[in-house]
Amino acid sequence: MNLGRRERVRAATIMEITETARRLLVKDGPDAVSLRAIAREMGMTAPALYRYFPSHGDLLRHVVGALFNDLTDGLVDALAEVPDHNMYAKFDAACRAFRGWAHAHAKEYALLFATPVPGVGQAEQVDFAAECGRRFGMTFLNLFRDLWEKHPFPVPADDQIPAEVRDQLADYRERIQADLPLGCLLVFLQCWVRLHGAVSLEVFGHLDFALTDIEPFFELGVVEIAARLGLCPDPFADPPDG
């Protein structure tokens, strides 16, 4: 779609505001991302920014959305480099890309996964940040669905899942409109919790008490998660970079 001059200028300004907010976040933390500080960095007045973002919360949610898109684009690029038939390599690439982004953007990662913006991530939210967050989540879920369809792995039957968990999984499945067994969604969440927990503990320095080189420990965890999904590394494949 071709944008008119006014729309192009507005889009460019929103991008500049977002990039300025991200620089302030990285430099001084989330408390430094204020409309006044951004206006000062851009040579604008704070009231002028209200034409683009009506509140500080709206601005932060837009930054969160942009960060989710940046992270998701990295995952998509990493997955695209792996042949479709090699599901272990795809799973490994996604895990590595997630960890790599977290290390390269630790403060942005903290905003997304440690100190979320109020309202972001709630099921009823339909704003930019929530949509970008769902795009990130669906990248992993679509990989998981692809794996399930190509190489189904053992999952608990519905009657083996505690009722309190089963009902929540059913609600989750309806919200995301996923044609997957409840047991499959349970395994997906369990794998995600383990991956996310491992990366977060590492990035926030909570494994330093025991480990000085965490990468081999992380790789061991990826192999164990993959094994739960019936995936085994190809002994003839080239070792991954990074």
mmCIF file with all atom_site columns, all heavy atoms in Angstrom, residues 57-73:
data_model
loop_
_atom_site.group_PDB
_atom_site.id
_atom_site.type_symbol
_atom_site.label_atom_id
_atom_site.label_alt_id
_atom_site.label_comp_id
_atom_site.label_asym_id
_atom_site.label_entity_id
_atom_site.label_seq_id
_atom_site.pdbx_PDB_ins_code
_atom_site.Cartn_x
_atom_site.Cartn_y
_atom_site.Cartn_z
_atom_site.occupancy
_atom_site.B_iso_or_equiv
_atom_site.pdbx_formal_charge
_atom_site.auth_seq_id
_atom_site.auth_comp_id
_atom_site.auth_asym_id
_atom_site.auth_atom_id
_atom_site.pdbx_PDB_model_num
ATOM 1   N N   . GLY A 1 57 ? 2.054  4.758   28.975 1.00 0.00 ? 57 GLY A N   1
ATOM 2   C CA  . GLY A 1 57 ? 1.760  3.334   28.838 1.00 0.00 ? 57 GLY A CA  1
ATOM 3   C C   . GLY A 1 57 ? 1.623  2.914   27.390 1.00 0.00 ? 57 GLY A C   1
ATOM 4   O O   . GLY A 1 57 ? 2.101  1.840   26.997 1.00 0.00 ? 57 GLY A O   1
ATOM 5   N N   . ASP A 1 58 ? 0.969  3.739   26.576 1.00 0.00 ? 58 ASP A N   1
ATOM 6   C CA  . ASP A 1 58 ? 0.840  3.422   25.149 1.00 0.00 ? 58 ASP A CA  1
ATOM 7   C C   . ASP A 1 58 ? 2.210  3.372   24.478 1.00 0.00 ? 58 ASP A C   1
ATOM 8   O O   . ASP A 1 58 ? 2.468  2.510   23.627 1.00 0.00 ? 58 ASP A O   1
ATOM 9   C CB  . ASP A 1 58 ? -0.039 4.467   24.460 1.00 0.00 ? 58 ASP A CB  1
ATOM 10  C CG  . ASP A 1 58 ? -1.495 4.324   24.836 1.00 0.00 ? 58 ASP A CG  1
ATOM 11  O OD1 . ASP A 1 58 ? -1.979 3.187   24.911 1.00 0.00 ? 58 ASP A OD1 1
ATOM 12  O OD2 . ASP A 1 58 ? -2.147 5.355   25.075 1.00 0.00 ? 58 ASP A OD2 1
ATOM 13  N N   . LEU A 1 59 ? 3.075  4.300   24.854 1.00 0.00 ? 59 LEU A N   1
ATOM 14  C CA  . LEU A 1 59 ? 4.423  4.310   24.287 1.00 0.00 ? 59 LEU A CA  1
ATOM 15  C C   . LEU A 1 59 ? 5.171  3.031   24.658 1.00 0.00 ? 59 LEU A C   1
ATOM 16  O O   . LEU A 1 59 ? 5.772  2.378   23.797 1.00 0.00 ? 59 LEU A O   1
ATOM 17  C CB  . LEU A 1 59 ? 5.192  5.532   24.793 1.00 0.00 ? 59 LEU A CB  1
ATOM 18  C CG  . LEU A 1 59 ? 6.700  5.541   24.502 1.00 0.00 ? 59 LEU A CG  1
ATOM 19  C CD1 . LEU A 1 59 ? 6.954  5.548   23.004 1.00 0.00 ? 59 LEU A CD1 1
ATOM 20  C CD2 . LEU A 1 59 ? 7.374  6.726   25.178 1.00 0.00 ? 59 LEU A CD2 1
ATOM 21  N N   . LEU A 1 60 ? 5.134  2.663   25.952 1.00 0.00 ? 60 LEU A N   1
ATOM 22  C CA  . LEU A 1 60 ? 5.847  1.464   26.370 1.00 0.00 ? 60 LEU A CA  1
ATOM 23  C C   . LEU A 1 60 ? 5.302  0.214   25.686 1.00 0.00 ? 60 LEU A C   1
ATOM 24  O O   . LEU A 1 60 ? 6.062  -0.679  25.305 1.00 0.00 ? 60 LEU A O   1
ATOM 25  C CB  . LEU A 1 60 ? 5.770  1.306   27.885 1.00 0.00 ? 60 LEU A CB  1
ATOM 26  C CG  . LEU A 1 60 ? 6.782  2.098   28.709 1.00 0.00 ? 60 LEU A CG  1
ATOM 27  C CD1 . LEU A 1 60 ? 6.598  1.796   30.181 1.00 0.00 ? 60 LEU A CD1 1
ATOM 28  C CD2 . LEU A 1 60 ? 8.210  1.824   28.271 1.00 0.00 ? 60 LEU A CD2 1
ATOM 29  N N   . ARG A 1 61 ? 3.975  0.146   25.519 1.00 0.00 ? 61 ARG A N   1
ATOM 30  C CA  . ARG A 1 61 ? 3.406  -1.018  24.845 1.00 0.00 ? 61 ARG A CA  1
ATOM 31  C C   . ARG A 1 61 ? 3.863  -1.085  23.396 1.00 0.00 ? 61 ARG A C   1
ATOM 32  O O   . ARG A 1 61 ? 4.082  -2.167  22.848 1.00 0.00 ? 61 ARG A O   1
ATOM 33  C CB  . ARG A 1 61 ? 1.878  -1.006  24.952 1.00 0.00 ? 61 ARG A CB  1
ATOM 34  C CG  . ARG A 1 61 ? 1.369  -1.459  26.314 1.00 0.00 ? 61 ARG A CG  1
ATOM 35  C CD  . ARG A 1 61 ? -0.133 -1.655  26.311 1.00 0.00 ? 61 ARG A CD  1
ATOM 36  N NE  . ARG A 1 61 ? -0.838 -0.385  26.268 1.00 0.00 ? 61 ARG A NE  1
ATOM 37  C CZ  . ARG A 1 61 ? -1.147 0.329   27.339 1.00 0.00 ? 61 ARG A CZ  1
ATOM 38  N NH1 . ARG A 1 61 ? -0.801 -0.100  28.543 1.00 0.00 ? 61 ARG A NH1 1
ATOM 39  N NH2 . ARG A 1 61 ? -1.787 1.463   27.237 1.00 0.00 ? 61 ARG A NH2 1
ATOM 40  N N   . HIS A 1 62 ? 4.018  0.079   22.761 1.00 0.00 ? 62 HIS A N   1
ATOM 41  C CA  . HIS A 1 62 ? 4.516  0.083   21.377 1.00 0.00 ? 62 HIS A CA  1
ATOM 42  C C   . HIS A 1 62 ? 5.972  -0.391  21.348 1.00 0.00 ? 62 HIS A C   1
ATOM 43  O O   . HIS A 1 62 ? 6.359  -1.159  20.451 1.00 0.00 ? 62 HIS A O   1
ATOM 44  C CB  . HIS A 1 62 ? 4.405  1.477   20.775 1.00 0.00 ? 62 HIS A CB  1
ATOM 45  C CG  . HIS A 1 62 ? 4.699  1.514   19.313 1.00 0.00 ? 62 HIS A CG  1
ATOM 46  N ND1 . HIS A 1 62 ? 3.748  1.248   18.349 1.00 0.00 ? 62 HIS A ND1 1
ATOM 47  C CD2 . HIS A 1 62 ? 5.858  1.739   18.632 1.00 0.00 ? 62 HIS A CD2 1
ATOM 48  C CE1 . HIS A 1 62 ? 4.290  1.319   17.148 1.00 0.00 ? 62 HIS A CE1 1
ATOM 49  N NE2 . HIS A 1 62 ? 5.575  1.621   17.289 1.00 0.00 ? 62 HIS A NE2 1
ATOM 50  N N   . VAL A 1 63 ? 6.771  0.037   22.306 1.00 0.00 ? 63 VAL A N   1
ATOM 51  C CA  . VAL A 1 63 ? 8.160  -0.417  22.374 1.00 0.00 ? 63 VAL A CA  1
ATOM 52  C C   . VAL A 1 63 ? 8.205  -1.922  22.590 1.00 0.00 ? 63 VAL A C   1
ATOM 53  O O   . VAL A 1 63 ? 8.992  -2.645  21.946 1.00 0.00 ? 63 VAL A O   1
ATOM 54  C CB  . VAL A 1 63 ? 8.922  0.318   23.499 1.00 0.00 ? 63 VAL A CB  1
ATOM 55  C CG1 . VAL A 1 63 ? 10.312 -0.274  23.690 1.00 0.00 ? 63 VAL A CG1 1
ATOM 56  C CG2 . VAL A 1 63 ? 9.020  1.807   23.185 1.00 0.00 ? 63 VAL A CG2 1
ATOM 57  N N   . VAL A 1 64 ? 7.363  -2.427  23.477 1.00 0.00 ? 64 VAL A N   1
ATOM 58  C CA  . VAL A 1 64 ? 7.303  -3.866  23.718 1.00 0.00 ? 64 VAL A CA  1
ATOM 59  C C   . VAL A 1 64 ? 6.964  -4.609  22.428 1.00 0.00 ? 64 VAL A C   1
ATOM 60  O O   . VAL A 1 64 ? 7.571  -5.631  22.102 1.00 0.00 ? 64 VAL A O   1
ATOM 61  C CB  . VAL A 1 64 ? 6.270  -4.187  24.825 1.00 0.00 ? 64 VAL A CB  1
ATOM 62  C CG1 . VAL A 1 64 ? 5.919  -5.667  24.838 1.00 0.00 ? 64 VAL A CG1 1
ATOM 63  C CG2 . VAL A 1 64 ? 6.811  -3.763  26.177 1.00 0.00 ? 64 VAL A CG2 1
ATOM 64  N N   . GLY A 1 65 ? 5.983  -4.099  21.687 1.00 0.00 ? 65 GLY A N   1
ATOM 65  C CA  . GLY A 1 65 ? 5.622  -4.731  20.426 1.00 0.00 ? 65 GLY A CA  1
ATOM 66  C C   . GLY A 1 65 ? 6.771  -4.755  19.444 1.00 0.00 ? 65 GLY A C   1
ATOM 67  O O   . GLY A 1 65 ? 7.025  -5.777  18.780 1.00 0.00 ? 65 GLY A O   1
ATOM 68  N N   . ALA A 1 66 ? 7.487  -3.634  19.348 1.00 0.00 ? 66 ALA A N   1
ATOM 69  C CA  . ALA A 1 66 ? 8.635  -3.572  18.435 1.00 0.00 ? 66 ALA A CA  1
ATOM 70  C C   . ALA A 1 66 ? 9.721  -4.559  18.848 1.00 0.00 ? 66 ALA A C   1
ATOM 71  O O   . ALA A 1 66 ? 10.359 -5.198  17.997 1.00 0.00 ? 66 ALA A O   1
ATOM 72  C CB  . ALA A 1 66 ? 9.186  -2.147  18.398 1.00 0.00 ? 66 ALA A CB  1
ATOM 73  N N   . LEU A 1 67 ? 9.929  -4.715  20.149 1.00 0.00 ? 67 LEU A N   1
ATOM 74  C CA  . LEU A 1 67 ? 10.932 -5.665  20.629 1.00 0.00 ? 67 LEU A CA  1
ATOM 75  C C   . LEU A 1 67 ? 10.514 -7.101  20.325 1.00 0.00 ? 67 LEU A C   1
ATOM 76  O O   . LEU A 1 67 ? 11.339 -7.924  19.899 1.00 0.00 ? 67 LEU A O   1
ATOM 77  C CB  . LEU A 1 67 ? 11.152 -5.490  22.128 1.00 0.00 ? 67 LEU A CB  1
ATOM 78  C CG  . LEU A 1 67 ? 11.789 -4.169  22.571 1.00 0.00 ? 67 LEU A CG  1
ATOM 79  C CD1 . LEU A 1 67 ? 11.859 -4.097  24.091 1.00 0.00 ? 67 LEU A CD1 1
ATOM 80  C CD2 . LEU A 1 67 ? 13.169 -3.997  21.958 1.00 0.00 ? 67 LEU A CD2 1
ATOM 81  N N   . PHE A 1 68 ? 9.240  -7.412  20.539 1.00 0.00 ? 68 PHE A N   1
ATOM 82  C CA  . PHE A 1 68 ? 8.761  -8.747  20.195 1.00 0.00 ? 68 PHE A CA  1
ATOM 83  C C   . PHE A 1 68 ? 8.957  -9.026  18.706 1.00 0.00 ? 68 PHE A C   1
ATOM 84  O O   . PHE A 1 68 ? 9.349  -10.136 18.314 1.00 0.00 ? 68 PHE A O   1
ATOM 85  C CB  . PHE A 1 68 ? 7.286  -8.900  20.560 1.00 0.00 ? 68 PHE A CB  1
ATOM 86  C CG  . PHE A 1 68 ? 7.047  -9.466  21.934 1.00 0.00 ? 68 PHE A CG  1
ATOM 87  C CD1 . PHE A 1 68 ? 6.245  -8.796  22.842 1.00 0.00 ? 68 PHE A CD1 1
ATOM 88  C CD2 . PHE A 1 68 ? 7.610  -10.669 22.310 1.00 0.00 ? 68 PHE A CD2 1
ATOM 89  C CE1 . PHE A 1 68 ? 6.025  -9.320  24.111 1.00 0.00 ? 68 PHE A CE1 1
ATOM 90  C CE2 . PHE A 1 68 ? 7.399  -11.203 23.578 1.00 0.00 ? 68 PHE A CE2 1
ATOM 91  C CZ  . PHE A 1 68 ? 6.598  -10.523 24.484 1.00 0.00 ? 68 PHE A CZ  1
ATOM 92  N N   . ASN A 1 69 ? 8.693  -8.036  17.869 1.00 0.00 ? 69 ASN A N   1
ATOM 93  C CA  . ASN A 1 69 ? 8.881  -8.231  16.430 1.00 0.00 ? 69 ASN A CA  1
ATOM 94  C C   . ASN A 1 69 ? 10.347 -8.467  16.095 1.00 0.00 ? 69 ASN A C   1
ATOM 95  O O   . ASN A 1 69 ? 10.678 -9.310  15.243 1.00 0.00 ? 69 ASN A O   1
ATOM 96  C CB  . ASN A 1 69 ? 8.352  -7.021  15.660 1.00 0.00 ? 69 ASN A CB  1
ATOM 97  C CG  . ASN A 1 69 ? 6.861  -7.096  15.429 1.00 0.00 ? 69 ASN A CG  1
ATOM 98  O OD1 . ASN A 1 69 ? 6.254  -8.162  15.532 1.00 0.00 ? 69 ASN A OD1 1
ATOM 99  N ND2 . ASN A 1 69 ? 6.250  -5.964  15.105 1.00 0.00 ? 69 ASN A ND2 1
ATOM 100 N N   . ASP A 1 70 ? 11.237 -7.736  16.747 1.00 0.00 ? 70 ASP A N   1
ATOM 101 C CA  . ASP A 1 70 ? 12.668 -7.917  16.510 1.00 0.00 ? 70 ASP A CA  1
ATOM 102 C C   . ASP A 1 70 ? 13.092 -9.332  16.896 1.00 0.00 ? 70 ASP A C   1
ATOM 103 O O   . ASP A 1 70 ? 13.807 -10.018 16.143 1.00 0.00 ? 70 ASP A O   1
ATOM 104 C CB  . ASP A 1 70 ? 13.443 -6.881  17.334 1.00 0.00 ? 70 ASP A CB  1
ATOM 105 C CG  . ASP A 1 70 ? 14.922 -6.885  17.014 1.00 0.00 ? 70 ASP A CG  1
ATOM 106 O OD1 . ASP A 1 70 ? 15.294 -7.114  15.851 1.00 0.00 ? 70 ASP A OD1 1
ATOM 107 O OD2 . ASP A 1 70 ? 15.732 -6.651  17.931 1.00 0.00 ? 70 ASP A OD2 1
ATOM 108 N N   . LEU A 1 71 ? 12.648 -9.790  18.062 1.00 0.00 ? 71 LEU A N   1
ATOM 109 C CA  . LEU A 1 71 ? 12.956 -11.139 18.514 1.00 0.00 ? 71 LEU A CA  1
ATOM 110 C C   . LEU A 1 71 ? 12.370 -12.183 17.569 1.00 0.00 ? 71 LEU A C   1
ATOM 111 O O   . LEU A 1 71 ? 13.055 -13.138 17.173 1.00 0.00 ? 71 LEU A O   1
ATOM 112 C CB  . LEU A 1 71 ? 12.411 -11.336 19.929 1.00 0.00 ? 71 LEU A CB  1
ATOM 113 C CG  . LEU A 1 71 ? 12.404 -12.758 20.504 1.00 0.00 ? 71 LEU A CG  1
ATOM 114 C CD1 . LEU A 1 71 ? 13.790 -13.377 20.468 1.00 0.00 ? 71 LEU A CD1 1
ATOM 115 C CD2 . LEU A 1 71 ? 11.854 -12.729 21.930 1.00 0.00 ? 71 LEU A CD2 1
ATOM 116 N N   . THR A 1 72 ? 11.119 -11.995 17.182 1.00 0.00 ? 72 THR A N   1
ATOM 117 C CA  . THR A 1 72 ? 10.459 -12.968 16.311 1.00 0.00 ? 72 THR A CA  1
ATOM 118 C C   . THR A 1 72 ? 11.124 -13.025 14.948 1.00 0.00 ? 72 THR A C   1
ATOM 119 O O   . THR A 1 72 ? 11.297 -14.114 14.379 1.00 0.00 ? 72 THR A O   1
ATOM 120 C CB  . THR A 1 72 ? 8.975  -12.621 16.157 1.00 0.00 ? 72 THR A CB  1
ATOM 121 O OG1 . THR A 1 72 ? 8.380  -12.525 17.452 1.00 0.00 ? 72 THR A OG1 1
ATOM 122 C CG2 . THR A 1 72 ? 8.253  -13.689 15.352 1.00 0.00 ? 72 THR A CG2 1
ATOM 123 N N   . ASP A 1 73 ? 11.495 -11.882 14.414 1.00 0.00 ? 73 ASP A N   1
ATOM 124 C CA  . ASP A 1 73 ? 12.181 -11.876 13.118 1.00 0.00 ? 73 ASP A CA  1
ATOM 125 C C   . ASP A 1 73 ? 13.473 -12.688 13.184 1.00 0.00 ? 73 ASP A C   1
ATOM 126 O O   . ASP A 1 73 ? 13.824 -13.395 12.229 1.00 0.00 ? 73 ASP A O   1
ATOM 127 C CB  . ASP A 1 73 ? 12.486 -10.434 12.693 1.00 0.00 ? 73 ASP A CB  1
ATOM 128 C CG  . ASP A 1 73 ? 11.235 -9.659  12.307 1.00 0.00 ? 73 ASP A CG  1
ATOM 129 O OD1 . ASP A 1 73 ? 10.184 -10.288 12.087 1.00 0.00 ? 73 ASP A OD1 1
ATOM 130 O OD2 . ASP A 1 73 ? 11.306 -8.410  12.241 1.00 0.00 ? 73 ASP A OD2 1
#
